[in-house]
Amino acid sequence: MNQKTIGDKSMDQWKKEFPLLAEAANLEEIFWVNPHYTGGDRGIRECGLSPEAMDDASARFARFAPFIAKAYPETEKTGGVIESPLREAPKLFGGLTSEFLTKEVPGRLFVKCDSHLPISGSIKARGGIYEVLCYAEELALERGLLNKNDTYEVFGSDRFRAFFNTRELAVGSTGNLGLSIGIMGAKLGFKTTVHMSADARQWKKDLLRSKGVTVVEYEADYTIAVAEGRRQAGPHCHFVDDENSKRLFLGYSVAAFGLKKQFEDIHITIDASHPLYVYLPCGVGGGPGGVTYGLKRIYGDAVHCFFVEPTHAPCMLLGLVTGCHDKVSVGDFGIDTKTCADGLAVGRPSRFVGPIMDYLLSGAYTISDERLYQLVYHLANLEDLWLEPSAVAGFMGPINLWSSNPGKDYMQRHPGADQAVHLVWATGGSMVPPEEMRKYYQTGKALAQASRG
Ligand SMILES: *Cc1c(COP(=O)(O)O)cnc(C)c1O
């Protein structure tokens, strides 16, 4: 018997009242439609972020573009804008539906390849880098280092680096956030420390150390790594708090501006009769939450966002279903956060993202590790797209919508399902070393062959 109580209920009461929670506790793959989702812009109005905050974030990225273009030559061709490719994947759509479904699914499938974002190769290149830039700008202004007419190229100067070297940055991470903060922090000259949870891959630690970043390793999970990082941060240290950072969130949200432009460039219309369905892998929720917020700001009711989490770490889903958000952890339901999706191996959702998603999110689903591996394999074969396990989780989205009763019901209640544009957010992978990628692929191949019998 689990005697723990969360909110006003024991674990058994929760499971009885919401059978979905019992299924989640049994590590089953589930699909959930958010009953609190109302559409409209209520969530945007009530979430406590000012409408200008996103524009402000976009303007800050633009100010830093000359510095980024110079510091990272791979961004020269975009003028220092950190953006990822958007690509349509028709063959993939057919291949996946025939693999996992018997019938065809209407609409078009696009992939947002944040896996190929410059600088750190994951969605964290948006939020993580943004927060480091915010901090650097704030310090430079405070110190009077920045003159009004300076281009931000000066952030790469020895003078700035010497100053930033007297300041510290720290973060707790399962890997990818650490990479983003570490790479950008070290580039600017900050003394940077990354507190890595046990899930973090060795190559990420090695890469950071090669850039002069201090990596502290924990045998414990992400929550502990964050708590330790926060505790150890001294007065001259800026701790990037992934569990509660508005700056990270806003850095992610700006993705929506870039996406809108990309759809316009290829003449794809998003409106009430051509709705956009977006599938986002979720860890603490900052990345997918920020993107959802941005998309809702831009497309309103024409966009429907779904989160996906591993069956072994469905923290946002538990927070939303119970309404207890960061007061509930997957451990409370006997779930262990052990998953091959290291970017999503999180036991407790962000404190402030959950309550916002309560309004804005259409639903969420979970996915098993076995299926993640298989998706890695199918994506490589069908689309030559090489992603890490965390990053493929969204690809079941359209299939789950069309194959589950709550999913079908959701689509029927909203217009334009037959002309939907499905967008899977592929959140990471281009920096994974080839030998690691081959292991993921081989595991997926064996599982795919076994499942075909
Ligand atoms: C971090 C991460 C996510 C999820 O972002 P959160 O802000 O933790 O929700 C998704 N995919 C990958 C590859 C990640 O590294």
Side-chain angles (χ1 to χ4, degrees), residues 406-439:
K408 274 188 279 200
D409 175 61
Y410 182 91
M411 294 199 90
Q412 275 156 12
R413 282 190 284 117
H414 294 89
D418 284 347
Q419 300 188 82
V421 173
H422 297 277
L423 177 69
V424 175
W425 215 279
T427 46
S430 63
M431 288 177 77
V432 177
E435 63 277 14
E436 298 278 327
M437 195 56 95
R438 205 166 44 242
K439 281 188 227 158

Side-chain angles (χ1 to χ4, degrees), residues 29 48 52 84 126 156 177 192 220 246 256 279 282 297 306 349 364 370 378 425:
E29 290 187 329
E52 293 79 36
S84 71
R126 298 183 183 280
L177 184 63
T192 308
K246 294 213 164 85
Y279 310 96
C282 177
R297 264 278 313 273
F306 292 84
E370 289 72 20
H378 291 308
W425 215 279

Side-chain angles (χ1 to χ4, degrees), residues 122-124 176 242 252 281-288 343-344 388 390-391 427-428:
S122 82
I123 189 171
K124 304 293 192 314
N176 288 338
D242 194 20
Y252 293 119
C282 177
V284 275
L344 316 178
E388 60 188 273
S390 300
T427 46

Side-chain angles (χ1 to χ4, degrees), residues 90-291:
K91 212 167 68 193
L92 180 64
F93 206 18
L96 288 181
T97 45
S98 71
E99 186 68 34
F100 295 110
L101 265 181
T102 47
K103 64 168 175 9
E104 288 216 350
V105 169
R108 298 169 73 168
L109 178 71
F110 286 83
V111 184
K112 182 63 175 153
C113 301
D114 272 9
S115 47
H116 292 70
L117 274 174
I119 304 177
S120 66
S122 82
I123 189 171
K124 304 293 192 314
R126 298 183 183 280
I129 287 174
Y130 179 70
E131 175 144 357
V132 176
L133 298 180
C134 282
Y135 181 54
E137 186 184 54
E138 186 180 283
L139 287 176
L141 286 171
E142 242 174 57
R143 261 282 154 136
L145 281 178
L146 209 52
N147 296 314
K148 224 173 165 194
N149 298 321
D150 279 344
T151 112
Y152 274 33
E153 275 183 30
V154 292
F155 276 84
S157 67
D158 291 343
R159 188 165 57 102
F160 274 60
R161 283 184 55 85
F163 169 56
F164 291 141
N165 205 243
T166 64
R167 294 291 187 274
E168 293 169 40
L169 262 178
V171 65
S173 171
T174 64
N176 288 338
L177 184 63
L179 275 188
S180 290
I181 303 286
I183 290 172
M184 184 51 83
K187 181 67 104 187
L188 285 161
F190 288 106
K191 289 203 186 86
T192 308
T193 305
V194 176
H195 300 264
M196 288 283 205
S197 64
D199 319 277
R201 297 284 173 259
Q202 188 61 42
W203 67 266
K204 293 180 185 172
K205 301 175 196 169
D206 296 343
L207 193 150
L208 283 173
R209 287 185 173 126
S210 78
K211 299 201 180 283
V213 173
T214 304
V215 177
V216 186
E217 301 179 58
Y218 295 88
E219 277 306 317
D221 74 2
Y222 162 86
T223 307
I224 305 289
V226 172
E228 270 305 300
R230 195 187 286 126
R231 193 182 64 77
Q232 291 174 28
H236 284 297
C237 181
H238 177 71
F239 181 71
V240 176
D241 195 341
D242 194 20
E243 291 179 315
N244 195 32
S245 167
K246 294 213 164 85
R247 284 178 168 178
L248 282 173
F249 188 84
L250 288 168
Y252 293 119
S253 75
V254 170
F257 289 130
L259 181 70
K260 177 170 185 280
K261 183 166 182 313
Q262 287 177 322
F263 273 135
E264 284 168 1
D265 286 348
I266 53 172
H267 309 293
I268 297 286
T269 305
I270 306 296
D271 61 20
S273 49
H274 305 83
L276 178 64
Y277 280 77
V278 187
Y279 310 96
L280 296 141
C282 177
V284 275
V291 171

Side-chain angles (χ1 to χ4, degrees), residues 397-412:
I399 293 163
N400 286 347
L401 261 183
W402 281 104
S403 64
S404 72
N405 289 329
K408 274 188 279 200
D409 175 61
Y410 182 91
M411 294 199 90
Q412 275 156 12

